[in-house]
Amino acid sequence: MGRTNDSMLTEFVLVGLSEHPKLQTVFFVLVLCMYLMILLGNGVLISVIMYDSHLHTPMYFFLCNLSFLDICYTSSSVPLILDSFLTVRKMVSFSGCMVQMFLSFAMGATECVLLGMMALDRYVAICYPLRYPIIMRKGAYVPMAVGAWVAGIVDSVVQTSLTMQLPFCANNVINHFICEILAILKLACADISINVISMAGSNLIVLVIPLLVISISYIFIVATILRIPSTEGKRKAFSTCSAHLTVVLIFYGTIFFMYAKPKSKSSIGTNNQDIIEALISLFYGVMTPMLNPLIYSLRNKDVKAAMKYMLGRKKISLMDYEY
């Protein structure tokens, strides 16, 4: 099944939670509600930032990119996840699987780099407040955001092209909700050492280096905040970084929990581990984008004020129209 005359794989089967039909129904409703909240929350945040000229700053430019990135990331995978919950064994063509994997990997890698860029922005804002408008001018922060997107896309092109060259001549069943690259590499019937080396290099570039940038930036940020004499000044300085730091902890915490836990050697343990990995991946792919707009709106007075102002203007416009 799913092979051409020359024994090349033409489709994959997504298993997901097919062995747990009751859970499938629960997760379908849950993921659908979360996806709608992601579209609404990030869409509103983008609209508020674009609407209010006071938010046309580097920090909110990066935040707008992050919200758009979250919408793209979830839209590349959630529809397939929802479809897999409705069918016992979801069939996906080889090309369709590679496209979905490329988009998901590109968006994930871009977000890693973008979070590093956002940390640099907060470092300059806290440590060099007087020079901030000069350093973080439009000619600097726009290329930083573009660089994050380019890095993620190029990294995904490399990983996807290497995966497409592998032969898949045995099992075509993916124990996952989506075409996740690590789950697909397990099905290859050839040496994947090049892919492993490439993934290690990818992790170094888009995971480790941005994390080092974030860590070093916050070391200097904390040191600068501690030198502020007034308690109110310290509180205001920390509040500008708390939302970004919360997002970083959730984002990287989920990634490291997913890849750093020990592997099971028994077949039963392996199957259970595959389900757990899939559920953690689901949390990483849906929960984090849903929380981002909540974190940035609830912990940011400027965003809350802009939202109230925009809603107030729309209410007045509707009253004038009715009148």
Side-chain angles (χ1 to χ4, degrees):
M1 184 206 311
R3 302 177 193 281
T4 59
N5 292 332
D6 57 352
S7 298
M8 294 299 292
L9 197 69
T10 60
E11 61 185 13
F12 289 104
V13 179
L14 296 175
V15 175
L17 293 174
S18 59
E19 296 180 359
H20 308 274
K22 292 183 179 179
L23 283 179
Q24 279 189 315
T25 304
V26 174
F27 274 98
F28 176 82
V29 176
L30 183 62
V31 172
L32 178 60
C33 292
M34 293 170 70
Y35 180 53
L36 294 176
M37 290 179 66
I38 289 169
L39 297 179
L40 178 63
N42 287 285
V44 168
L45 193 56
I46 292 172
S47 300
V48 168
I49 293 173
M50 294 180 66
Y51 179 83
D52 194 334
S53 59
H54 295 94
L55 300 181
H56 293 176
T57 62
M59 173 181 168
Y60 294 107
F61 174 77
F62 286 124
L63 180 55
C64 193
N65 273 267
L66 182 64
S67 292
F68 179 70
L69 188 62
D70 285 338
I71 291 175
C72 293
Y73 179 75
T74 51
S75 297
S76 69
S77 58
V78 170
L80 185 61
I81 293 174
L82 293 174
D83 194 16
S84 69
F85 287 148
L86 296 176
T87 55
V88 178
R89 293 168 70 87
K90 171 64 180 175
M91 311 295 292
V92 184
S93 67
F94 182 85
S95 58
C97 194
M98 292 299 107
V99 169
Q100 186 269 310
M101 186 183 73
F102 164 78
L103 292 174
S104 296
F105 197 95
M107 299 302 106
T110 301
E111 184 160 353
C112 292
V113 181
L114 187 63
L115 288 173
M117 299 298 184
M118 294 174 74
L120 286 176
D121 172 68
R122 292 299 83 206
Y123 161 72
V124 177
I126 299 298
C127 299
Y128 303 97
L130 298 179
R131 296 175 59 190
Y132 179 73
I134 300 174
I135 297 175
M136 294 301 295
R137 58 190 185 279
K138 191 172 184 179
Y141 67 78
V142 171
M144 288 170 67
V146 172
W149 283 91
V150 170
I153 292 172
V154 169
D155 187 26
S156 185
V157 167
V158 173
Q159 303 307 324
T160 304
S161 60
L162 288 175
T163 304
M164 291 179 67
Q165 295 176 19
L166 292 172
F168 299 93
C169 50
N171 186 15
N172 70 333
V173 177
I174 302 175
N175 290 315
H176 212 285
F177 306 110
I178 58 174
C179 297
E180 200 263 343
I181 188 167
L182 295 182
I184 292 176
L185 289 178
K186 293 179 181 178
L187 306 181
C189 56
D191 183 21
I192 61 170
S193 57
I194 295 178
N195 300 77
V196 172
I197 295 172
S198 178
M199 284 289 292
S202 170
N203 290 338
L204 176 64
I205 295 172
V206 302
L207 275 176
V208 178
I209 292 179
L211 185 59
L212 285 175
V213 170
I214 293 169
S215 302
I216 295 172
S217 296
Y218 273 100
I219 289 173
F220 284 103
I221 288 171
V222 171
T224 302
I225 291 176
L226 291 176
R227 289 199 297 266
I228 298 175
S230 66
T231 304
E232 182 65 17
K234 291 179 180 178
R235 188 189 65 79
K236 288 183 178 180
F238 182 74
S239 65
T240 63
C241 306
S242 58
H244 174 259
L245 188 58
T246 303
V247 170
V248 167
L249 290 175
I250 295 173
F251 183 82
Y252 276 98
T254 308
I255 291 178
F256 283 113
F257 181 78
M258 183 168 25
Y259 294 113
K261 59 184 182 304
K263 303 295 182 181
S264 174
K265 294 183 179 180
S266 65
S267 59
I268 298 176
T270 301
N271 292 333
N272 291 332
Q273 183 174 295
D274 288 338
I275 294 174
I276 294 172
E277 286 181 354
L279 291 175
I280 295 173
S281 177
L282 181 63
F283 173 87
Y284 161 74
V286 180
M287 184 65 74
T288 306
M290 185 187 72
L291 292 177
N292 284 353
L294 294 175
I295 293 170
Y296 275 100
S297 60
L298 293 176
R299 302 180 68 92
N300 192 298
K301 292 182 179 180
D302 293 335
V303 173
K304 287 191 287 187
M307 290 178 68
K308 290 180 181 178
Y309 179 75
M310 186 175 73
L311 291 174
R313 288 290 297 272
K314 287 186 175 181
K315 186 176 181 180
I316 293 173
S317 299
L318 287 173
M319 290 175 65
D320 291 341
Y321 177 77
E322 290 175 358
Y323 179 77

